[in-house]
Amino acid sequence: MSKKLFVGNLSWGATDEQLRDLFSAAGTVESATIIKDKMSGRSKGFAFVEMSTEEEAQAAIEALNGKELDGRAINVSEARPQEKREAGNGGFSRNRY
């Protein structure tokens, strides 16, 4: 069963390919995706990497957490499930001052 990892503190110039290459040293990379802003298309500075097994994911965390990529020390940890958010009003307040 594959295991998803969270990768934080990425430089704006980091690419999916760089992540795939870096994490492949720890095992088989199922996917490597940098999260981008929907409006600007610019990196949000974090990514998700999916390793093929739990053991490979643990090896990647141990080997790569704190390792430098593009001049920045990256943070690698187990990805947590996304928290459910309440439906908002699009950032606009109904109450005017």
Side-chain angles (χ1 to χ4, degrees):
M1 186 168 133
S2 65
K3 186 71 175 177
K4 191 177 277 191
L5 301 175
F6 171 83
V7 184
N9 200 36
L10 293 173
S11 71
W12 304 126
T15 66
D16 294 346
E17 293 78 25
Q18 280 179 309
L19 283 178
R20 184 176 289 279
D21 290 345
L22 182 66
F23 279 78
S24 66
T28 304
V29 177
E30 298 289 327
S31 66
T33 307
I34 293 176
I35 305 305
K36 297 185 173 144
D37 182 77
K38 290 178 185 175
M39 300 297 263
S40 69
R42 184 175 166 188
S43 168
K44 288 189 171 188
F46 68 94
F48 292 100
V49 174
E50 195 170 0
M51 303 297 292
S52 64
T53 67
E54 177 79 39
E55 293 77 21
E56 291 173 341
Q58 194 58 45
I61 292 170
E62 291 171 10
L64 301 175
N65 188 38
K67 185 166 176 88
E68 195 169 300
L69 175 67
D70 250 8
R72 300 187 71 165
I74 61 172
N75 301 317
V76 182
S77 61
E78 229 177 272
R80 296 189 305 254
Q82 186 174 4
E83 294 177 8
K84 184 178 179 190
R85 298 182 193 174
E86 289 186 31
N89 58 5
F92 294 100
S93 174
R94 290 182 174 191
N95 299 327
R96 297 282 175 171
Y97 296 96

